[in-house]
């Protein structure tokens, strides 16, 4: 009787086909586990420091409030009225400047829709990430939008494959519904199917070095915080889709001290800096944290891009390493 029930159960619950299941997550290596523990300790210290800074900010606000009240109490009625009026004028002036800056930012971002460099953040990897990794990526996207808004020549940003937990966490960001950015539930391959020949996935596994940015091209950054578990995933995806790939020419200008992987916001900022300066060396040195650099060398095979973007910016402890800049004449042409 029991054997019969087990047999029926097996028929009712057939094994999941490879195409219908997510691939099993590869086990972490010993080195990866050590890095993960180190990252967790860092994040705990970071949270503690943030709480201390918040408490100190509250104390500073309270101290300034008391100082203001004491100042008002120590002067005549006429002087008090002048101080209050002066403070109101300063506040009004600051609000006016903020409003003006906001209008200029909106104007720049709207103009970028017509003539800005198109840059896509591919969010189709959310099923391969833990909730904390998704949260980390959402923070990086928030930084992306902020730095793009401050840029004199912002890019035309796209978020594609925005679904599930990723979409839920993005919707929680204050003002996300008002962001001047393209938000797509569809994959970039579907949303931009008429421009497939111009799609370029940035991946360190590519043999093509990105010598210059082309306004006709649409550059894709892989949105994946994976602690280096899914190696080569973006290159494989691009090859399967039959789209172009390229890697940033960082190896021509500096050598990474440890991991060659940068966060999504760092890759985006490098692209934006290059759009502004047309100088790769200046762009890398302005964006790549010094703790991730060591002695620079020419003609290196190292490169970084947007693939497997771990939250590495904060992973490494500050390293006092000397970094010598090198000549920018050693480009590899596309």
């Amino acid at each position: 009787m029991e054997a019969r029930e087990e047999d029926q159960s097996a028929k009712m619950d057939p094994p999941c086909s490879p195409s219908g299941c997510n691939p099993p997550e590869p086990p972490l290596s010993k080195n990866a586990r050590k890095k993960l523990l180190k990252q967790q300790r860092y994040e705990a210290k970071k949270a503690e420091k943030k709480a201390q800074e918040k408490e100190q900010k509250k104390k500073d606000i309270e101290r300034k409030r008391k100082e203001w009240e004491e100042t008002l109490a120590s002067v005549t009625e006429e002087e008090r009225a002048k101080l209050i009026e002066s403070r109101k004028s300063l506040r009004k002036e600051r609000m006016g400047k903020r409003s003006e800056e906001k209008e200029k930012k909106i104007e720049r971002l709207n103009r970028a829709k017509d003539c800005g460099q198109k840059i896509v953040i591919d969010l189709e990897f959310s099923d391969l990430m833990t909730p904390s990794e998704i949260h980390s990526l959402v923070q990086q996207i928030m930084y992306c939008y902020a730095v793009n808004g401050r840029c004199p020549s912002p890019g035309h940003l796209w978020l594609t494959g925005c679904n599930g937990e990723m979409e839920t966490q993005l919707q929680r960001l204050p003002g996300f519904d008002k962001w001047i950015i393209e938000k797509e539930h569809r994959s970039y391959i579907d949303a931009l199917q008429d421009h497939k020949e111009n799609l370029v996935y940035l991946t360190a596994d590519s043999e093509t070095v990105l010598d210059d940015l082309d306004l006709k091209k649409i550059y894709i950054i892989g949105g994946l915080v994976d602690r280096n578990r899914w190696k080569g995933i973006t290159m494989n995806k691009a090859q399967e889709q039959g789209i172009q790939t390229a890697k940033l020419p960082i190896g021509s200008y500096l050598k990474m001290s440890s991991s060659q992987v940068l966060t999504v916001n760092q890759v985006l900022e490098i692209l934006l800096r290059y759009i502004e300066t047309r100088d790769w060396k200046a762009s890398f040195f302005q964006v790549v944290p010094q703790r991730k650099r060591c002695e620079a060398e020419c003609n290196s095979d190292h490169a970084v891009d947007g693939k497997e973007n771990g939250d590495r910016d904060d992973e490494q402890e500050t390293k006092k390493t000397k970094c010598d800049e090198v000549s920018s004449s050693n480009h590899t042409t596309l």
Side-chain angles (χ1 to χ4, degrees), residues 120 188-189 192-193 195-201 216-220 241 243-245:
V120 171
Y188 57 83
I189 205 72
L192 299 166
Q193 58 182 332
H195 305 278
K196 184 178 179 180
E197 70 279 3
N198 290 322
L199 296 177
V200 181
Y201 215 119
K216 295 178 182 178
K217 301 295 184 182
I218 303 171
Y219 298 99
I220 305 165
Q241 294 175 334
I243 63 175
Q244 301 172 66
T245 63

Side-chain angles (χ1 to χ4, degrees), residues 275-321:
I275 291 170
E276 184 181 349
T277 64
R278 313 310 291 186
D279 186 334
W280 283 119
K281 181 172 71 173
S283 302
F284 292 133
F285 275 82
Q286 286 175 24
V287 177
V288 178
Q290 186 164 350
R291 63 180 172 273
K292 292 185 70 70
R293 307 186 227 138
C294 62
E295 185 179 359
E297 66 178 23
C298 294
N299 300 322
S300 168
D301 292 331
H302 297 289
V304 296
D305 63 349
K307 88 175 182 65
E308 292 97 45
N309 285 291
D311 190 18
R312 309 292 188 171
D313 182 27
D314 295 324
E315 180 179 321
Q316 300 296 329
E317 294 179 356
T318 303
K319 296 181 179 179
K320 303 297 182 181
T321 54

Side-chain angles (χ1 to χ4, degrees), residues 43 51 74 79 86 88 91 95 112 121 154 173 182 229 241-243 256 279 300 308 314 327:
E43 288 175 353
S74 64
E79 290 173 331
S86 175
K88 286 181 178 179
R91 186 175 296 173
M95 290 177 67
I121 300 177
L173 294 177
E182 307 296 339
R229 294 192 305 272
Q241 294 175 334
I243 63 175
M256 306 296 281
D279 186 334
S300 168
E308 292 97 45
D314 295 324
S327 171

Side-chain angles (χ1 to χ4, degrees), residues 238-260:
Q239 288 178 331
E240 289 173 3
Q241 294 175 334
I243 63 175
Q244 301 172 66
T245 63
K247 62 184 176 182
L248 299 182
I250 195 168
S252 300
Y253 306 104
L254 58 87
K255 182 179 178 181
M256 306 296 281
S257 62
S258 56
S259 170
Q260 298 173 31

Side-chain angles (χ1 to χ4, degrees), residues 200-234:
V200 181
Y201 215 119
L202 299 180
T203 169
D205 298 309
S206 177
E207 295 182 0
T208 303
V209 178
L210 192 63
D211 183 54
D212 196 5
L213 295 181
D214 184 345
L215 271 176
K216 295 178 182 178
K217 301 295 184 182
I218 303 171
Y219 298 99
I220 305 165
I221 302 172
L224 176 60
V225 175
D226 71 333
R227 318 301 178 195
N228 215 24
R229 294 192 305 272
W230 302 96
K231 294 182 179 181
I233 192 170
T234 52

Side-chain angles (χ1 to χ4, degrees), residues 157-176:
L157 298 190
W158 290 64
L159 299 178
T160 63
C162 187
N163 298 292
E165 180 63 19
M166 179 65 65
E167 182 184 18
T168 300
Q169 290 203 29
L170 282 169
Q171 290 291 350
R172 291 174 186 159
L173 294 177
F176 178 72

